[in-house]
Amino acid sequence: MGLTQHLLLILAACALDALVGDPVYRLHPIRVLGVWTLACERWLFALGFDGRLGGVLLWAATVGGALGSWWLVHAGLTLLHPWLAFVWDLFIAYSLLCARDLLNQGRRVLLALDDLPLARRELQMLVSRDTETLPRAGVVRATIESLSENLTDGVLTPLWALCLFGLPGLILVKVVSNLDSMVGYQNARYARFGWAGARSDDLVHWLPARLSVLVIMLAAALLRLHPRLALSAALRDHAMLPSPNSGWSEAACAGALRVRLVGPIWHQGRLVNEAYMGEPEWPAELDAEDLRRALLLVLVACLIALAVGLALAPLRSLMPW
């Protein structure tokens, strides 16, 4: 794929995501991937491969299956007409980018804030914590946390993978993220079996997570927020979260907005965190205006990430595929 066609693929996929979003339907590529992953997991457990080796085999089966399926269709359509193959690539790229869905879900919480039970239900689409008893400020904090955390793994890493490594890079990133969300839990079933999925997810997001701080700082500067606080908060508070990556963008957003995040978190009826992220004098009783600022901050960060990705796209020509 030449540079012009590569840039066209990126811009068209992002435009479709921005204009149309990601509709839910039965044969969505991510749903198909989830069904395939679950089938492979059951098969491996049935054969007794329920440890780290089984997890590595699951990784190979899902990554290989996803890349192989894309390539077989791409190769077949290329024989018919190159533009048919491009349309296929565009469909896959568009289906695997989800910036609009992230922002839309945050906006749905914002619009529902005056109906707290509804806002809690909308929040459940973004988080895994208990939401039934969250106060209004807790709903806002949790939404901002999810928006900022998902900025890295939901937007920056997939977008930059597409720009730098083409569609194979994007597919790899999304398969790895899907694996982590399905088997990357620290429990009796997945502690060893999910190791490969969880560690590969940490690896692919490692650099984008740290670069997210610079993106958020620039977005904060453009919006006249607090770019310096974004940097200091990220350096100080990124390790508050158990993930080696998600704390960077979350802490940077807390600083950029000059608010406290996290605080009391309940999961399955158990208090798992009490500490706040941010300076003690920053407000934690957040409201609709804070969520509006966060949504705008994330939107501008997404646009900056696209500009960075387009600047890096010429490096795609160095790749062997």
Side-chain angles (χ1 to χ4, degrees):
M1 182 182 290
L3 177 59
T4 300
Q5 195 172 8
H6 180 49
L7 291 172
L8 179 60
L9 176 67
I10 297 167
L11 290 171
C14 291
L16 280 173
D17 178 52
L19 294 173
V20 181
D22 202 12
V24 176
Y25 58 98
R26 189 171 185 179
L27 294 179
H28 189 287
I30 292 296
R31 287 195 168 195
V32 173
L33 176 62
V35 171
W36 170 245
T37 302
L38 186 58
C40 289
E41 176 191 335
R42 289 172 175 168
W43 180 66
L44 288 167
F45 268 78
L47 293 176
F49 292 101
D50 57 357
R52 286 195 175 185
L53 176 58
V56 171
L57 293 174
L58 177 69
W59 191 98
T62 51
V63 171
L67 287 172
S69 299
W70 159 72
W71 183 84
L72 284 173
V73 175
H74 175 90
L77 291 175
T78 301
L79 294 175
L80 297 174
H81 197 286
W83 280 106
L84 290 176
F86 178 82
V87 171
W88 165 249
D89 289 353
L90 176 58
F91 165 70
I92 296 298
Y94 151 67
S95 298
L96 300 184
L97 297 176
C98 59
R100 173 168 175 155
D101 275 8
L102 176 63
L103 291 165
N104 276 353
Q105 192 57 48
R107 188 169 178 270
R108 281 193 284 269
V109 176
L110 174 64
L111 294 175
L113 275 180
D114 290 333
D115 182 348
L116 191 54
L118 176 59
R120 290 166 177 161
R121 290 195 296 273
E122 294 290 357
L123 177 60
Q124 286 178 338
M125 301 297 294
L126 285 169
V127 301
S128 60
R129 72 185 69 180
D130 299 346
T131 64
E132 294 82 2
T133 60
L134 276 179
R136 183 182 174 100
V139 169
V140 173
R141 285 199 309 272
T143 306
I144 296 175
E145 290 158 25
S146 183
L147 289 170
S148 57
E149 181 179 342
N150 284 294
L151 176 63
T152 294
D153 55 11
V155 179
L156 302 189
T157 305
L159 176 59
W160 290 343
L162 173 63
C163 293
L164 273 173
F165 305 110
L167 203 47
L170 173 59
I171 292 171
L172 173 64
V173 163
K174 295 300 289 189
V175 173
V176 165
S177 292
N178 190 67
L179 267 179
D180 182 60
S181 67
M182 293 185 70
V183 303
Y185 297 100
Q186 290 297 317
N187 56 29
R189 181 178 177 86
Y190 294 128
R192 297 176 68 246
F193 184 77
W195 175 84
R199 295 292 77 76
S200 58
D201 185 74
D202 291 343
L203 180 62
V204 298
H205 296 302
W206 190 91
L207 184 57
R210 285 142 185 85
L211 293 177
S212 72
V213 178
L214 300 178
V215 172
I216 292 166
M217 287 177 64
L218 181 53
L222 291 174
L223 294 172
R224 297 185 178 181
L225 296 174
H226 307 280
R228 292 183 181 178
L229 294 181
L231 177 60
S232 61
L235 294 174
R236 183 186 62 245
D237 294 336
H238 70 271
M240 279 189 62
L241 302 185
S243 165
N245 297 322
S246 58
W248 289 94
S249 55
E250 190 168 323
C253 282
L257 298 168
R258 199 180 176 278
V259 298
R260 282 191 292 165
L261 298 177
V262 192
I265 294 177
W266 293 80
H267 186 73
Q268 296 181 350
R270 183 170 62 91
L271 183 65
V272 297
N273 184 84
E274 291 186 273
Y276 282 91
M277 175 183 286
E279 296 287 356
E281 66 270 19
W282 296 354
E285 293 300 309
L286 309 184
D287 212 330
E289 183 56 33
D290 299 295
L291 183 48
R292 288 191 189 94
R293 292 191 302 135
L295 284 164
L296 184 57
L297 178 67
V298 172
L299 172 60
V300 174
C302 290
L303 295 174
I304 293 170
L306 175 58
V308 171
L310 291 173
L312 294 174
L315 297 176
R316 166 73 177 82
S317 61
L318 302 177
M319 303 302 157
W321 53 81

